[in-house]
Amino acid sequence: MLSFEVQRSGPAGPTGSSGLASRQRDALPMLRSARRTLAFGLLAVLASASSQPAKAINIQSFDLRWDLYTSGGPIFGKIVLDLDGLATDLPYVNTTALPPWLIALSIDIPGPGPGTGKFTKADYIGLDWNNDDGTVSFDFTKQLIGQKGWGTTCRAPYLGVCSFELKRDPNGANAMNALYGVVGFDIYTLLDQPQYGRLNSFAPSAVSAVPGPLPIAGLAALLPFSRRLRRRPSGVAASGETLRPR
């Protein structure tokens, strides 16, 4: 974009100032036109973006609870999922790769035993999540356990093929200690001694969806900028000043 810098001089002005002033006057209409084009172009782009309906990124956090068959527990965890990616990817059965829609995972097991501590997504390498071979369509705004029998009347290996099993990384830092899925909804954990338990709760926690495109407020915030572009001085130099092209 054409721009100028101000050079201050004495009363008589620099040599050849009359020729320079003439060239400046010739360039002013082009400069004003370029400013108007830029201002209205910005407003048009923002107006187009703001007119589109805002789409939420469908990311949700869920609270997990495993109850032990013997003593101790329960064990609590949290999992964060991209529901848009998950919706078209169930059943997911892969013992060597976690799905891209599993955003985060944490499992806290209190106590002094070797199987206690905090375990995260980094401790796991695979997932077996079977929704009865696709027959269970989840309502992710509600408790998942029990929906169409998932986790209750439908449980692998003897009551259908429903499952939710985390596969720990055999080469990870917590390869010997991390809780992991055995079959169906059952887990194995060391705690202070080897124990088994079952996933009995998979419920949405209070996490808001992430907003999408730029709202109309973004357009309003840039209106003062466009006004400044339209109302800038015309480029006529003040007394004792000249404008030099950069």
Side-chain angles (χ1 to χ4, degrees):
M1 184 180 7
L2 183 62
S3 61
F4 297 90
E5 65 179 1
V6 177
Q7 177 179 355
R8 302 183 184 276
S9 62
T15 303
S17 61
S18 60
L20 180 59
S22 176
R23 290 194 297 272
Q24 292 167 358
R25 285 193 297 272
D26 292 341
L28 285 177
M30 181 177 67
L31 180 61
R32 295 193 190 101
S33 176
R35 287 172 177 166
R36 286 195 295 269
T37 301
L38 174 62
F40 292 123
L42 284 172
L43 292 176
V45 170
L46 289 169
S48 175
S50 300
S51 65
Q52 302 300 318
K55 180 182 178 182
I57 300 173
N58 204 5
I59 294 177
Q60 177 67 50
S61 173
F62 294 85
D63 296 322
L64 309 174
R65 191 192 80 239
W66 292 269
D67 296 311
L68 300 178
Y69 287 124
T70 52
S71 61
I75 295 171
F76 295 99
K78 188 176 289 290
I79 190 170
V80 180
L81 304 172
D82 175 359
L83 299 183
D84 288 336
L86 180 153
T88 58
D89 204 23
L90 290 181
Y92 182 91
V93 181
N94 193 326
T95 60
T96 59
L98 290 172
W101 38 262
L102 199 165
I103 308 300
L105 173 70
S106 65
I107 301 171
D108 291 300
I109 305 179
T116 61
K118 183 171 184 177
F119 306 102
T120 67
K121 179 181 175 181
D123 295 311
Y124 296 92
I125 197 174
L127 175 68
D128 180 339
W129 184 341
N130 198 320
N131 59 335
D132 200 14
D133 286 340
T135 63
V136 178
S137 297
F138 295 107
D139 179 350
F140 289 102
T141 65
K142 300 177 181 179
Q143 168 72 253
L144 269 60
I145 298 294
Q147 291 193 33
K148 294 186 178 180
W150 190 75
T152 52
T153 58
C154 180
R155 300 195 314 271
Y158 304 116
L159 298 174
V161 293
C162 297
S163 62
F164 185 84
E165 305 167 31
L166 291 164
K167 304 300 183 182
R168 64 184 176 185
D169 183 355
N171 300 314
N174 291 307
M176 298 301 296
N177 300 327
L179 167 154
Y180 67 93
V182 180
V183 63
F185 296 82
D186 284 3
I187 54 98
Y188 172 85
T189 180
L190 282 177
L191 288 177
D192 56 343
Q193 60 181 340
Q195 293 194 58
Y196 292 90
R198 191 172 81 189
L199 180 68
N200 282 330
S201 183
F202 195 132
S205 48
V207 174
S208 300
V210 180
L214 180 71
I216 195 69
L219 176 61
L222 286 172
L223 285 175
F225 174 73
S226 68
R227 294 193 185 103
R228 285 200 299 273
L229 285 176
R230 294 198 303 270
R231 295 177 181 175
R232 288 184 67 177
S234 63
V236 177
S239 177
E241 299 178 346
T242 58
L243 296 179
R244 297 178 57 193
R246 298 190 179 192

